[in-house]
Amino acid sequence: MPRPKVLYNVGMTADGKVVTAAGDSRISGEEDLREVHRLRAEHDAVAVGINTVRKDDPMLNVRLVEGEDPIRVVFDTECSIPLDCRLVRTARDIPTVVLCAEADPGRVEKLEKRGVKVEEVGACEDGVDVERGLERLYDMGVRTLLLEGGPTLAWSFLKRGLIDEFRVAVAPVLVGGSDALTPVEGEGFPRVDLGVGLELKRVERVGRDVVLWYEVSGSAADLASEHEEARGRSS
């Protein structure tokens, strides 16, 4: 089934943390934050998981550059999004969609009265069925999706092959912390060669940060094989 093209965008420290052990996620510099808002304006929709909504209470709109707001999407297994969060409070002004496994009709009614569109797409083994969620968004006219977090939702996308591009802004700071989150959490792949292969497309300096752009190119094993073949042809 067709689905939107997905760009996973994340800011992390030089030691690979997207949130400190104490929960601070203010990592990207001001210049990169403007770039993130530019990316929002260039995409049909921007998506986060329910944990990001609870922790950060984001707006997910375009403020730091000129451009139109994307559709705001929340992957929320139990349809538990707080009624007083900023996404819900502004849903009449900016299209907002909650993709859930299932929802109580009374809960749906409360959200829809506030302007939120609720779509039940079923469940998979680790929560809401993200693949069916993307297909539903495609049916709604979404062709490009900016995934902004969090790490658990990113794992659900990654392990199903639903991320096409990966943009990471690396900030020049080290924070440490064994409990600090990385760009992708979840159970992870058991071996490196089973991981997702990335092809570096470009490197940019954005203010104090270094931004790496990757395309997803299959498994890590596939990518290593391609590189080995290329070396063989050039030798």
Side-chain angles (χ1 to χ4, degrees):
M1 294 289 293
R3 63 167 179 82
K5 183 177 181 180
V6 176
L7 167 63
Y8 179 34
N9 179 71
V10 67
M12 73 177 188
T13 64
D15 54 341
K17 310 297 186 181
V18 297
V19 181
T20 68
D24 186 4
S25 60
R26 296 170 297 178
I27 293 172
S28 293
E30 292 183 6
E31 293 86 351
D32 185 61
L33 287 176
R34 281 195 293 272
E35 285 300 297
V36 172
H37 281 245
R38 181 182 60 78
L39 286 172
R40 288 177 183 175
E42 292 177 351
H43 283 74
D44 297 326
V46 56
V48 295
I50 185 59
N51 290 336
T52 297
V53 175
R54 292 197 185 104
K55 292 176 181 177
D56 299 338
D57 194 17
M59 274 291 288
L60 302 180
N61 61 345
V62 177
R63 302 185 302 279
L64 302 182
V65 300
E66 294 292 328
E68 294 187 5
D69 295 322
I71 296 171
R72 304 177 302 183
V73 179
V74 180
F75 286 83
D76 179 8
T77 303
E78 299 178 351
C79 198
S80 61
I81 185 170
L83 297 178
D84 62 348
C85 74
R86 294 198 295 172
L87 292 177
V88 174
R89 295 204 314 265
T90 58
R92 294 194 181 280
D93 300 317
I94 305 173
T96 305
V97 178
V98 170
L99 298 174
C100 60
E102 59 181 355
D104 176 78
R107 179 73 174 174
V108 173
E109 182 179 3
K110 289 179 180 179
L111 287 168
E112 291 186 340
K113 281 184 177 179
R114 289 164 170 80
V116 178
K117 183 177 181 61
V118 179
E119 294 285 335
E120 297 183 43
V121 296
C124 56
E125 69 275 9
D126 53 0
V128 62
D129 190 329
V130 294
E131 191 163 8
R132 287 187 60 190
L134 288 182
E135 292 171 359
R136 188 69 57 85
L137 290 175
Y138 189 92
D139 291 340
M140 295 167 58
V142 174
R143 297 295 180 267
T144 56
L145 177 75
L146 179 64
L147 178 63
E148 290 195 16
T152 301
L153 179 62
W155 167 249
S156 294
F157 272 65
L158 191 68
K159 74 176 183 178
R160 292 176 174 83
L162 300 176
I163 294 177
D164 303 290
E165 295 179 297
F166 177 44
R167 178 189 184 272
V168 55
V170 183
V173 61
L174 304 170
V175 299
S178 58
D179 294 329
L181 298 179
T182 63
V184 183
E185 293 289 326
E187 65 265 31
F189 296 106
R191 299 199 316 267
V192 172
D193 65 336
L194 297 177
V196 173
L198 302 175
E199 185 76 37
L200 181 64
K201 292 302 180 180
R202 67 180 188 270
V203 180
E204 302 171 342
R205 183 69 179 265
V206 179
R208 65 168 195 172
D209 303 328
V210 174
V211 177
L212 308 175
W213 287 83
Y214 294 95
E215 281 188 2
V216 173
S217 56
S219 70
D222 291 340
L223 185 61
S225 177
E226 290 174 7
H227 288 174
E228 187 64 32
E229 290 177 2
R231 285 195 295 270
R233 288 193 298 267
S234 62
S235 61

